[in-house]
C-alpha cells in the first residue's frame, strides 16, 4: 500500500507542476502584446569584466526609469519603453560620467551609435568614493542590510550584526527568528551553513563583522532557493574585492566586558591577466559568561504546592576561531569562467559550568543541597570545496551556471559531569562522575545546474535542478567513573547514523512593465531519509525511513502608482518547509545536569508554512507591511516534567499563526542626521497538545529599534541606537520585556584609507533575558539570565585599493542542508 501511495503522491505533484508550468507559459505568451519600443547600444573600449551602470532617465525631470549593465561584449538594451524623451546616463569607477543627447522614442526600436567612455586622469588614485550605502535597501523579494553603515558593527561578530538587522531576533541559545517566526535558514554566500542553532551561533561568533559585505533577509525566498526554512532565509554575503592589481584590507579590534573579545581579519584580491585570486582570513577570541537562575515549582494533581527546586548556574565560555577562504576565477574566454573556492574553519571552545541548587519541600525549606560541575572541551572544524562554471551563451543574456560542493564537518568533544549531594547542613551524602566522548562527522555533497533565458521584450525565465546527499554519524560514549574505574553507561551511550537525499527542480519567470513588476516561481522537492539508531546491551536497534514530495510556489508583485515612484505597492505569497535537524531525530537522551535532560525525537515531521505579505513603500524611504502566516507542525523546543527531572526535546506544535504590522523607515530630518527605524506589532498564537497539556493561546508583542547617525565633521561621525521588545510568546515559553542602548564614534584617518571606531554596547546593562516556562503538567518554572552584554570595543580598519573594479561572480551550489547539522 505504501508504494502505491508514494506513486500517487508523485503523480499528483507532477500534474500540479505541469499546470503551474502551463500557467507560466500562458502568462509569457499573453504578455507579449504589451511589448513596446526598445533602445539598443554598444559600449566600446572596456576591459574584460568591466560592467558600467547604465541609467535611463526621463528628460523632463531626470526621474530614473530603468537600470541595466552591458554584457561581456559591451552590448545593452532597454525594452518596453513608452513614447517620450529620455537621457542615458553611464557611470563607472575610473571613467568620466557620460550623458547622452536627447533620445526621442516612438513606436520603433532605436539603435544608438557606439559609445566610447573616457578614462579619468590617474584613475582610482584620484578618485574618492564618498557616497555611503544606506543601512537598509528594499527589493522586490528581499531586504538588503549593509552592516558597514552602522558604527556599532565595527569590531563585533557576525552574530552581533544579525541581532541589529530589522526583524531578526537571536535568543540566548543562538536560535534565530525573523519577524516573530522561528525556523530561519542561514546562508553564507548563497550556500547554507548546514549547522544547527548552537553550532551556527558559535560559527557566527567566530566570523568578524568586517568580513560581511551585505545581509539579505528573505521571508519568502525566490524559487531558485531551497524551500527550507519556514521563517525564510538570511543570506550573509562576504566581502570579495573585485579590483585589478593587489588590493585588500585589515581589520583589528579589542573589546572588553567582564571578559575580553578580539575579532581580526585580513583579505586580499589579486587580478592578473585571466586569473582573479581572492581570500579572507580571520582570527578571533570571544570570552563570555552567563549567570543563569532557574526556579521550578511542583504541584500535586489537586493543584496544591508540593515541592520546589532553585538552581544558579555560572557558565564561563571561551571561544576561539580561525577561518580561511581562498578562491580563484579563471576567465577561459569572454563567455566562460571557471572558479574554485576552498574554505574552512577550526573553532575550539571550552566551557565550565558551576551549578548550585536547592531541593525544597512544601514550606520552601531546603531538604538537600546539590553541587554540579560540568567541563566541556570541544573542537568543531570544517573543510569545503566548491567548483563552479559559468557560460554566457549569447549577448542577449542567456547563461548557464554549474556548481558542485563537497563539505565535511567534524566535532570532537570531551565532557565530564560531577554531581555532589549534601544535607542542608553541608554533609556530603552522595557523589557521582559521568564522563563522555562525543565525536561526530557530517559529509555533504551537492550539485546544481541553473539556466537563465531572457525573452525579448517579454521578461526572463530561470530554471534549474539540484541534488544533495547528506551522511551523518554521531557517537556518544558515556562512562560512570568510580574510584578511577570507568564503566560504560548504556542508558546514555548511543550511535546514530542518518542519510538524506533531496532532489529538486524549479522554474521562475520575471518581467517588468512601466508600472508593474512580476516574479512567479514554482519549486518541486522530493526528500528521502533513513535513520538508524544502533543498539547496545541495554537498548535494541531501531530505524526509520521516510519519503515525501512537495510543491512550493512563490509570487511577487510590485506596482508603482506614479511615474516618480513615490508610492509603490507590493505583494508576496509563498509556501515553505522546515525539516528537522539531523541530530534531533536521534531518540536517545543525555544529561545537561542532574535535573535537566536533553533528548531527540524520531517522530518529528516537517513544518509547512504559508506566508502572505502586503506592503506600501513611500519614496523608497518608508515601507509599511501587513503580514500573515500559518505554520503547521512547527518544530520547536518542548519541555516535559517527570518526577524532579525536566526533559527538553524538539517537538511539533500543531499550529502557529503570526499576523501584524511592520514599519521600516530611513529618514533624514536634517542633513547631518539620519534616522533608521524598524518596528513591528504582531500577534503570535499557538494551538497544540503537548504531553497531555492543551496549549491554546495568542499574545500581541511590540518591538522597536531606532538607529540615529550623526555627521559631525567630514571625517567624524557618531551613532546612538537601541531597541525595546515586550513579552513574546514562543510555544511553552513567555519571555520578559528587554531593552538596550548602544553608542559609537567613527573617525577617518590616514587620508580616508583608515577608520578608528569606538563602541559601547548595552550601556545600562539591561539586555538580560528571562521568562516563564508554562503548560507543563503539575509544574511551572521561570528563568533569568545575566549576560556579558556591556562591552567597550575599539577597532581599526585599513583598506588599500589599486585598479579598476570588476564584476562580482557569485559561486556556490549548495542550499539548505547546513542549518540542520547538530553535533551536540
Amino acid at each position: 500500500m505504501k508504494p502505491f501511495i508514494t506513486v500517487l503522491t508523485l503523480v499528483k505533484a507532477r500534474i500540479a507542476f505541469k499546470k503551474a508550468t502551463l500557467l507560466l507559459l500562458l502568462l509569457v505568451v499573453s504578455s507579449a502584446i504589451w511589448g513596446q519600443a526598445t533602445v539598443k547600444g554598444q559600449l566600446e573600449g572596456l576591459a574584460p569584466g568591466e560592467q558600467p551602470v547604465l541609467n535611463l532617465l526621463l528628460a523632463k525631470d531626470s526621474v530614473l526609469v530603468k537600470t541595466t549593465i552591458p554584457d561581456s561584449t559591451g552590448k545593452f538594451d532597454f525594452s518596453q519603453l513608452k513614447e517620450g524623451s529620455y537621457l542615458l546616463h553611464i557611470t563607472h569607477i575610473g571613467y568620466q560620467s557620460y550623458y547622452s543627447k536627447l533620445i526621442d522614442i516612438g513606436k520603433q526600436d532605436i539603435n544608438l551609435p557606439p559609445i566610447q567612455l573616457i578614462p579619468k586622469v590617474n584613475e582610482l588614485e584620484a578618485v574618492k568614493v564618498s557616497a555611503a550605502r544606506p543601512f537598509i535597501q528594499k527589493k522586490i523579494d528581499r531586504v538588503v542590510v549593509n552592516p558597514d553603515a552602522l558604527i556599532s558593527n565595527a569590531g563585533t561578530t557576525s552574530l552581533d550584526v544579525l541581532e541589529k538587522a530589522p526583524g531578526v531576533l537571536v535568543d540566548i541559545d543562538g536560535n534565530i527568528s525573523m519577524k516573530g517566526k522561528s525556523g530561519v535558514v542561514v546562508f553564507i554566500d548563497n550556500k547554507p551553513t548546514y549547522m544547527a542553532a548552537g553550532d551556527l551561533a558559535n560559527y557566527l561568533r567566530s566570523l568578524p563583522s568586517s568580513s560581511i559585505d551585505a545581509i539579505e533577509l528573505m521571508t519568502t525566498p525566490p524559487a531558485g532557493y531551497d524551500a527550507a526554512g519556514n521563517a525564510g532565509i538570511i543570506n550573509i554575503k562576504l566581502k570579495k574585492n573585485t579590483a585589478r592589481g593587489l588590493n585588500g584590507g585589515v581589520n583589528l579590534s579589542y573589546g572588553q566586558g567582564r571578559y575580553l573579545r578580539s575579532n581580526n581579519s585580513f583579505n586580499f584580491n589579486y587580478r592578473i591577466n585571466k586569473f582573479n585570486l581572492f581570500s579572507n582570513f580571520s582570527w578571533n577570541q570571544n570570552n563570555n559568561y552567563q549567570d543563569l537562575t532557574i526556579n521550578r515549582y511542583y504541584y500535586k494533581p489537586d493543584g496544591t504546592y508540593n515541592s520546589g527546586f532553585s538552581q544558579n548556574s555560572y557558565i564561563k565560555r571561551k571561544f576561539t576561531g580561525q577561518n580561511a577562504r581562498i578562491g580563484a576565477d579563471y576567465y577561459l574566454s569572454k563567455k566562460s569562467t571557471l572558479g574554485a573556492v576552498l574554505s574552512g574553519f577550526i573553532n575550539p571552545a571550552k566551557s565550565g559550568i558551576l551549578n548550585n541548587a536547592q531541593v525544597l519541600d512544601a514550606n520552601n525549606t531546603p531538604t538537600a543541597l546539590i553541587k554540579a560541575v560540568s567541563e566541556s572541551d570541544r573542537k568543531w572544524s570544517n573543510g569545503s570545496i566548491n567548483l563552479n562554471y559559468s557560460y554566457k551563451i549569447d549577448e542577449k543574456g542567456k547563461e548557464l551556471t554549474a556548481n558542485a560542493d563537497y563539505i565535511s564537518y567534524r566535532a570532537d568533544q570531551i565532557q565530564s559531569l560531577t554531581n555532589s549531594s549534601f544535607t542542608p547542613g553541608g554533609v556530603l551524602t552522595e557523589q557521582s562522575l559521568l564522563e563522555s566522548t562525543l565525536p561526530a562527522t557530517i559529509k555533504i555533497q551537492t550539485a546544481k545546474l541553473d539556466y537563465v533565458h531572457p525573452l525579448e521584450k517579454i521578461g526572463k525565465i530561470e530554471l534549474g535542478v539540484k541534488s544533495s546527499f547528506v551522511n551523518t554519524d554521531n557517537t556518544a560514549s558515556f562512562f560512570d567513573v568510580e574510584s578511577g574505574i570507568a564503566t560504560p553507561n548504556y542508558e546514555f551511550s548511543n550511535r546514530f547514523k542518518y542519510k538524506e537525499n533531496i532532489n529538486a527542480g524549479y522554474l521562475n519567470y520575471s518581467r517588468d512593465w512601466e508600472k508593474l513588476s512580476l516574479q512567479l516561481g514554482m519549486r518541486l522537492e522530493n526528500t528521502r531519509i533513513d535513520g538508524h539508531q544502533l543498539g547496545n546491551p541495554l537498548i535494541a536497534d531501531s530505524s526509520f525511513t521516510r519519503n515525501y514530495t512537495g510543491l512550493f510556489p512563490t509570487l511577487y508583485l510590485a506596482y508603482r502608482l506614479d511615474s516618480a515612484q513615490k508610492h509603490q505597492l507590493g505583494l508576496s505569497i509563498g509556501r515553505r518547509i522546515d525539516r528537522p535537524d539531523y541530530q534531533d531525530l536521534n531518540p536517545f537522551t543525555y544529561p545537561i545536569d542532574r535535573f535537566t535532560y536533553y533528548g531527540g525525537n524520531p517522530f518529528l515531521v516537517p513544518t509547512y508554512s504559508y506566508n502572505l505579505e502586503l506592503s506600501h513603500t513611500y519614496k523608497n524611504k518608508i515601507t509599511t507591511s501587513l503580514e500573515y502566516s500559518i505554520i503547521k507542525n512547527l518544530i520547536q523546543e518542548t519541555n516535559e516534567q517527570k518526577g524532579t527531572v525536566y526533559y527538553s526535546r524538539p517537538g511539533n506544535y500543531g499550529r502557529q499563526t503570526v499576523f501584524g504590522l511592520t514599519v521600516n523607515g530611513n529618514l533624514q530630518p536634517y542633513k547631518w542626521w539620519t534616522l533608521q527605524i524598524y518596528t513591528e506589532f504582531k500577534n503570535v498564537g499557538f494551538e497544540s497538545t503537548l504531553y497531555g497539556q492543551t496549549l491554546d493561546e495568542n499574545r500581541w508583542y511590540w518591538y522597536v529599534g531606532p538607529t540615529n547617525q550623526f555627521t559631525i565633521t567630514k571625517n567624524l561621525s557618531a551613532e546612538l541606537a537601541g531597541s525595546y521588545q515586550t513579552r513574546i510568546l514562543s510555544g511553552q515559553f513567555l519571555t520578559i520585556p528587554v531593552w538596550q542602548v548602544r553608542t559609537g564614534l567613527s573617525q577617518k584617518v590616514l587620508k580616508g584609507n583608515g577608520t578608528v571606531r569606538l563602541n559601547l554596547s548595552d550601556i545600562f546593562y539591561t539586555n538580560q533575558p528571562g521568562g516563564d516556562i508554562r503548560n507543563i503538567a503539575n509544574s511551572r518554572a521561570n528563568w533569568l539570565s545575566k549576560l556579558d552584554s556591556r562591552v567597550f570595543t575599539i577597532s581599526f580598519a585599513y583598506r588599500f585599493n589599486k585598479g579598476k573594479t570588476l564584476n562580482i561572480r557569485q559561486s556556490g551550489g549548495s542550499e539548505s542542508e547546513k542549518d540542520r547539522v547538530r553535533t551536540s
Side-chain angles (χ1 to χ4, degrees):
M1 186 65 180
K2 289 184 178 179
F4 175 76
I5 295 175
T6 301
V7 171
L8 183 59
T9 302
L10 287 172
V11 170
K12 289 181 178 179
R14 288 172 180 170
I15 292 173
F17 187 68
K18 289 180 179 179
K19 289 181 178 178
T21 304
L22 180 60
L23 177 61
L24 285 174
L25 293 176
L26 289 175
L27 178 61
V28 170
V29 173
S30 63
S31 63
I33 62 174
W34 291 355
Q36 298 172 347
T38 298
V39 172
K40 298 181 179 180
Q42 170 81 49
L43 299 181
E44 295 184 346
L46 296 177
E50 291 184 332
Q51 290 186 314
V53 177
L54 290 79
N55 300 309
L56 192 65
L57 314 174
L58 285 176
K60 62 180 180 179
D61 52 14
S62 295
V63 170
L64 178 64
V65 177
K66 287 193 175 184
T67 297
T68 190
I69 57 176
D71 63 19
S72 58
T73 65
K75 293 183 179 180
F76 66 88
D77 68 77
F78 295 96
S79 59
Q80 304 158 25
L81 299 176
K82 275 192 168 185
E83 295 184 28
S85 297
Y86 297 84
L87 293 173
L88 177 61
H89 178 215
I90 305 176
T91 60
H92 190 54
I93 294 177
Y95 291 93
Q96 295 182 22
S97 184
Y98 170 86
Y99 279 95
S100 71
K101 295 180 181 179
L102 203 64
I103 303 173
D104 292 315
I105 297 178
K107 295 183 179 180
Q108 301 297 321
D109 293 348
I110 294 178
N111 289 304
L112 299 176
I115 299 172
Q116 181 82 41
L117 296 183
I118 302 174
K120 288 183 178 179
V121 179
N122 296 328
E123 296 191 347
L124 284 182
E125 295 175 345
V127 175
K128 296 290 183 182
V129 180
S130 58
R133 290 196 296 177
F135 179 50
I136 301 294
Q137 293 174 294
K138 181 75 168 65
K139 296 185 177 181
I140 189 173
D141 57 1
R142 68 197 67 189
V143 171
V144 181
V145 180
N146 299 305
D148 285 345
L150 294 188
I151 298 170
S152 57
N153 281 333
T156 61
T157 70
S158 298
L159 192 64
D160 297 323
V161 172
L162 272 186
E163 291 185 276
K164 299 168 191 172
V168 177
L169 295 177
V170 182
D171 71 13
I172 192 171
D173 297 317
N175 297 298
I176 301 170
S177 61
M178 186 160 57
K179 293 193 172 183
K181 296 183 292 181
S182 61
V184 179
V185 177
V186 176
F187 283 57
I188 304 291
D189 280 338
N190 289 313
K191 301 191 331 183
T193 49
Y194 295 97
M195 289 180 274
D199 294 317
L200 176 61
N202 291 340
Y203 169 68
L204 294 176
R205 289 188 186 102
S206 75
L207 189 65
S209 60
S210 56
S211 302
I212 301 177
D213 179 60
I215 297 174
E216 296 178 330
L217 310 177
M218 294 174 274
T219 53
T220 305
Y225 285 89
D226 282 16
N230 85 84
I233 287 174
I234 297 176
N235 183 33
I236 300 174
K237 300 175 70 174
L238 301 180
K239 290 178 179 176
K240 178 180 176 182
N241 203 314
T242 56
R244 287 181 182 167
L246 179 62
N247 308 271
V250 61
N251 295 269
L252 307 172
S253 77
Y254 176 85
Q256 185 67 55
R258 177 176 294 183
Y259 302 112
L260 70 87
R261 295 103 185 273
S262 183
N263 294 282
N264 312 281
S265 66
F266 171 73
N267 66 81
F268 74 88
N269 179 87
Y270 184 60
R271 169 69 190 271
I272 181 171
N273 299 326
K274 292 187 175 183
F275 283 96
N276 183 46
L277 307 176
F278 54 91
S279 68
N280 191 297
F281 304 93
S282 66
W283 176 88
N284 71 89
Q285 181 171 334
N286 286 282
N287 304 323
N288 61 62
Y289 76 90
Q290 178 184 359
D291 191 349
L292 172 65
T293 299
I294 298 176
N295 298 300
R296 296 171 183 163
Y297 309 92
Y298 306 105
Y299 299 87
K300 297 178 181 178
D302 62 3
T304 58
Y305 180 59
N306 184 49
S307 62
F309 170 81
S310 178
Q311 175 179 283
N312 177 262
S313 301
Y314 186 84
I315 308 167
K316 184 179 179 180
R317 301 183 180 95
K318 180 180 179 180
F319 298 101
T320 56
Q322 299 85 41
N323 294 267
R325 181 173 178 263
I326 303 173
D329 292 328
Y330 178 66
Y331 301 94
L332 298 169
S333 66
K334 290 184 177 181
K335 291 188 175 183
S336 59
T337 305
L338 181 64
V341 181
L342 298 174
S343 61
F345 62 75
I346 300 175
N347 292 341
K350 293 184 178 182
S351 66
I353 305 175
L354 176 60
N355 291 315
N356 288 292
Q358 297 182 84
V359 179
L360 310 171
D361 62 16
N363 297 315
N364 283 328
T365 301
T367 60
L369 304 178
I370 309 296
K371 182 178 181 180
V373 179
S374 178
E375 301 286 342
S376 176
D377 189 349
R378 184 169 187 260
K379 184 171 74 172
W380 175 235
S381 58
N382 157 263
S384 67
I385 181 171
N386 164 259
L387 299 176
N388 57 85
Y389 174 78
S390 64
Y391 179 69
K392 296 183 178 180
I393 299 173
D394 59 24
E395 66 279 2
K396 294 181 180 180
K398 295 178 184 176
E399 185 174 8
L400 183 69
T401 59
N403 279 272
D405 291 88
Y406 176 78
I407 304 161
S408 174
Y409 288 96
R410 181 174 178 83
D412 293 289
Q413 182 172 350
I414 299 173
Q415 65 182 29
S416 64
L417 176 61
T418 302
N419 279 293
S420 304
S421 299
F422 302 85
T423 66
V427 178
L428 179 66
T429 59
E430 182 183 357
Q431 191 171 58
S432 64
L433 173 60
L434 183 67
E435 295 183 342
S436 60
T437 58
L438 306 167
T441 59
I442 302 103
K443 307 291 185 182
I444 302 169
Q445 302 172 68
T446 69
K448 185 181 180 186
L449 189 66
D450 299 279
Y451 175 67
V452 179
H453 187 99
L455 302 168
E456 189 171 357
K457 300 183 181 181
I458 57 172
K460 179 176 66 175
I461 283 182
E462 301 169 81
L463 53 91
V465 293
K466 181 210 168 182
S467 288
S468 67
F469 299 86
V470 177
N471 285 273
T472 74
D473 191 346
N474 297 269
T475 301
S477 299
F478 285 82
F479 301 90
D480 295 308
V481 181
E482 187 174 355
S483 301
I485 300 175
T487 304
N489 183 312
Y490 294 116
E491 179 185 0
F492 301 129
S493 296
N494 68 91
R495 186 178 181 186
F496 181 64
K497 292 185 175 183
Y498 177 88
K499 293 182 180 181
E500 176 185 273
N501 171 222
I502 300 177
N503 297 300
Y506 75 91
L507 177 66
N508 197 76
Y509 171 74
S510 60
R511 181 174 178 182
D512 289 322
W513 290 274
E514 179 187 3
K515 290 188 175 183
L516 179 67
S517 295
L518 166 71
Q519 186 170 309
L520 181 63
M522 182 66 73
R523 187 176 186 90
L524 174 69
E525 291 190 349
N526 173 261
T527 304
R528 178 182 173 84
I529 60 176
D530 294 282
H532 182 199
Q533 173 65 61
L534 279 70
N536 60 41
L538 185 64
I539 305 295
D541 273 21
S542 63
S543 63
F544 59 87
T545 299
R546 293 179 191 147
N547 194 328
Y548 50 90
T549 301
L551 278 171
F552 303 94
T554 53
L555 169 66
Y556 312 89
L557 290 172
Y559 185 74
R560 295 166 285 278
L561 296 176
D562 53 88
S563 59
Q565 299 187 25
K566 288 184 178 180
H567 298 274
Q568 179 173 299
L569 300 178
L571 168 69
S572 68
I573 303 174
R575 183 177 189 249
R576 310 286 299 163
I577 185 174
D578 197 20
R579 300 177 180 90
D581 290 339
Y582 308 130
Q583 184 65 13
D584 283 348
L585 295 167
N586 187 345
F588 269 61
T589 61
Y590 62 88
I592 297 176
D593 56 50
R594 181 175 175 179
F595 301 96
T596 307
Y597 286 7
Y598 176 84
N601 183 353
F603 303 106
L604 288 173
V605 297
T607 298
Y608 290 94
S609 64
Y610 305 83
N611 308 295
L612 170 67
E613 180 177 341
L614 294 169
S615 66
H616 170 263
T617 302
Y618 176 68
K619 288 187 175 180
N620 289 319
K621 293 183 178 181
I622 302 176
T623 298
T624 305
S625 300
L626 293 172
E627 302 169 1
Y628 182 77
S629 297
I630 297 175
I631 301 99
K632 296 182 178 180
N633 294 317
L634 174 70
I635 300 173
Q636 195 163 294
E637 181 184 353
T638 66
N639 284 271
E640 181 186 19
Q641 178 255 327
K642 293 182 179 179
T644 59
V645 177
Y646 264 53
Y647 288 84
S648 174
R649 63 176 69 90
N652 286 113
Y653 289 81
R655 179 185 174 97
Q656 181 192 24
T657 56
V658 182
F659 62 89
L661 176 74
T662 68
V663 179
N664 191 6
N666 190 358
L667 310 174
Q668 192 165 17
Y670 298 97
K671 186 177 180 180
W672 49 269
W673 175 19
T674 300
L675 171 62
Q676 171 68 44
I677 185 167
Y678 174 83
T679 185
E680 61 186 40
F681 185 59
K682 288 193 171 182
N683 182 281
V684 179
F686 290 86
E687 298 177 27
S688 189
T689 300
L690 296 172
Y691 311 114
Q693 300 297 300
T694 299
L695 174 60
D696 187 359
E697 184 179 7
N698 66 84
R699 281 179 178 257
W700 288 91
Y701 76 87
W702 178 51
Y703 170 89
V704 61
T707 300
N708 298 276
Q709 294 177 293
F710 307 100
T711 302
I712 301 172
T713 67
K714 179 181 179 181
N715 294 320
L716 178 64
S717 58
E719 179 180 303
L720 179 63
S723 65
Y724 171 78
Q725 72 177 45
T726 62
R727 284 178 171 265
I728 296 180
L729 178 66
S730 180
Q732 291 177 295
F733 299 87
L734 182 63
T735 66
I736 62 175
V738 293
W739 62 281
Q740 57 90 20
V741 177
R742 64 182 187 271
T743 188
L745 282 173
S746 176
Q747 174 70 51
K748 293 182 180 180
V749 296
L750 302 176
K751 299 181 179 180
N753 294 318
T755 305
V756 176
R757 292 185 173 97
L758 306 176
N759 301 315
L760 181 60
S761 63
D762 196 13
I763 297 173
F764 302 104
Y765 198 58
T766 53
N767 191 22
Q768 310 302 326
D772 299 319
I773 308 174
R774 308 169 315 146
N775 296 97
I776 302 175
N778 303 319
S779 177
R780 65 182 180 88
N782 58 56
W783 89 97
L784 178 65
S785 283
K786 294 182 179 180
L787 308 176
D788 199 7
S789 57
R790 183 164 53 199
V791 180
F792 175 77
T793 304
I794 180 171
S795 66
F796 171 73
Y798 179 79
R799 300 194 66 79
F800 54 93
N801 186 12
K802 298 179 181 179
K804 299 177 182 178
T805 300
L806 301 171
N807 58 304
I808 297 176
R809 288 185 69 245
Q810 295 293 339
S811 61
S814 52
E815 296 294 338
S816 68
E817 291 82 3
K818 281 186 182 176
D819 275 291
R820 297 163 49 227
V821 173
R822 182 184 296 277
T823 61
S824 63

